Amino acid sequence: MRRAEQGNETAVVEFIILGFQSIPEVQFILFLMFLVTYIATVLGNLLIMMLVVTDHHLHKPMFFFLGNLSLLETCYTSTILPRMLASFLTNKYVISLSGCFLQYFFFTGLAGAECCLLTVMSYDRYIAICKPLHYTAIMNGRCCLQLAGGSWANGLLASAIVTSLMQQLTFCGPNEIDHFFCDFMPVVKLSCSDTHWIKLVTFILASLLTLPPFLLTLISYVYISNTVLRIPSSTGRHKAFSTCSSHLTVVTLFYGTLIVVYLVPKPNTLRDLSKVFSVCYTVLTPLVNPLIYSLRNNNIKKALR
């Protein structure tokens, strides 16, 4: 739908999210798959949050951050999947400009917060393994709250800046988003405004929210690996590494899908394949994170039993 403006110009007031309409023969299968995935994601992450709150053995910084990660993943997947499921049921793929910008704000803000939170979790493991005698003093309650709150604030602040710039754009041409949610490039390329500055600002903010956290995480694990390898007993090395294996798996999965979705070039002939990669990043990662922690962390498994 468009509304008339000055002269013969028109402005788009809503978008059509094409989603997976190019493969109509599997719409019902996709609906069931996404429904089961969403229910499992929410239940799995809520279970971890409940365990962290109720089990006193999990009242430690490591599991405090894990509870934050589970809350983040629940919110993250809820910004995309419920609307997608409703579109499958009603065959209505229209979203207003304000709704699109709101979805983008939460999606990007939570993704940025996850980058920071994963780095905080690696720092927690670094202190626990490399400086165990100072762990209690450094990772006190106030520090944990500040690190977790800072992670959420950084992601949402950067997202608010980009979203406010997107709201200044004019959309007067095509209004079909060739994606299953309101991501940055599919939306911005529909604008008839000059998008040079918003792309530059977004690139800078995205770089600040991903590259430094990734490097800090990498450096933390270099120090952790160096410390673990110096432990004389194999039992001690295995115990030290087991406290990091779940987090390292989640970090690898998160940044691996980020690289595939946003950095690996994909020609126009592979547009649908690009959507599949985006599903891995936005839908499957929040699902497997609670599974990874529940299956590979002994404290979580004891709490479940």
Side-chain angles (χ1 to χ4, degrees):
M1 183 182 297
R2 305 165 187 269
R3 65 166 181 260
E5 285 194 342
Q6 296 179 356
N8 293 325
E9 293 183 357
T10 57
V12 173
V13 296
E14 57 187 28
F15 293 120
I16 298 174
I17 299 181
L18 297 180
F20 297 95
Q21 294 184 64
S22 59
I23 43 177
E25 60 275 6
V26 296
Q27 296 291 297
F28 182 69
I29 296 176
L30 288 175
F31 170 76
L32 290 180
M33 182 185 75
F34 286 129
L35 178 62
V36 172
T37 300
Y38 181 61
I39 293 174
T41 300
V42 172
L43 291 180
N45 283 293
L46 285 178
L47 177 61
I48 287 183
M49 284 187 283
M50 183 185 69
L51 290 174
V52 170
V53 171
T54 58
D55 193 318
H56 70 278
H57 294 101
L58 302 183
H59 291 174
K60 301 174 183 178
M62 174 183 176
F63 299 106
F64 170 74
F65 295 130
L66 176 58
N68 271 268
L69 181 64
S70 293
L71 175 60
L72 190 150
E73 299 284 26
T74 303
C75 299
Y76 183 70
T77 193
S78 296
T79 64
I80 296 174
L81 281 183
R83 184 171 191 87
M84 189 193 304
L85 293 171
S87 297
F88 280 125
L89 286 177
T90 61
N91 288 323
K92 294 180 180 179
Y93 298 89
V94 175
I95 185 172
S96 65
L97 258 70
S98 58
C100 186
F101 294 146
L102 190 63
Q103 185 186 63
Y104 175 79
F105 166 73
F106 283 110
F107 163 74
T108 308
L110 294 170
E114 183 163 356
C115 289
C116 297
L117 190 59
L118 289 175
T119 303
V120 167
M121 295 174 76
S122 69
Y123 174 71
D124 171 72
R125 292 299 85 205
Y126 161 74
I127 298 297
I129 293 175
C130 301
K131 298 183 179 182
L133 298 179
H134 303 284
Y135 182 76
T136 304
I138 296 175
M139 301 303 294
N140 53 58
R142 181 179 179 182
C143 179
C144 291
L145 287 173
Q146 289 175 339
L147 289 172
S151 298
W152 286 83
N154 285 338
L156 294 175
L157 177 61
S159 180
I161 293 173
V162 177
T163 305
S164 64
L165 293 176
M166 290 177 67
Q167 290 176 318
Q168 308 304 315
L169 298 177
T170 301
F171 298 90
C172 53
N175 67 332
E176 293 183 343
I177 299 175
D178 191 12
H179 210 3
F180 60 89
F181 68 98
C182 293
D183 204 358
F184 179 77
M185 285 307 300
V187 173
V188 169
K189 74 177 184 179
L190 299 179
S191 174
C192 50
S193 304
D194 180 9
T195 59
H196 172 73
W197 286 109
I198 187 174
K199 289 180 180 178
L200 179 61
V201 171
T202 302
F203 174 77
I204 293 173
L205 290 174
S207 299
L208 290 175
L209 274 177
T210 53
L211 188 57
F214 176 74
L215 292 177
L216 288 172
T217 301
L218 189 62
I219 292 171
S220 295
Y221 274 104
V222 168
Y223 279 104
I224 289 171
S225 299
N226 187 45
T227 301
V228 170
L229 291 176
R230 290 205 303 258
I231 297 176
S233 68
S234 59
T235 303
R237 289 195 298 269
H238 180 268
K239 182 178 180 181
F241 181 72
S242 66
T243 65
C244 304
S245 58
S246 299
H247 177 258
L248 188 58
T249 303
V250 170
V251 168
T252 303
L253 183 63
F254 179 75
Y255 281 104
T257 52
L258 264 182
I259 291 170
V260 170
V261 171
Y262 293 107
L263 296 183
V264 176
K266 292 173 280 292
N268 291 332
T269 54
L270 298 178
R271 284 181 302 176
D272 288 334
L273 186 59
S274 176
K275 294 178 186 178
V276 173
F277 289 138
S278 295
V279 168
C280 295
Y281 167 53
T282 59
V283 177
L284 295 184
T285 301
L287 170 66
V288 300
N289 283 357
L291 292 176
I292 292 171
Y293 276 103
S294 61
L295 294 177
R296 304 193 62 169
N297 189 285
N298 290 329
N299 291 302
I300 293 292
K301 286 190 286 188
K302 289 179 182 178
L304 284 171
R305 285 196 293 265

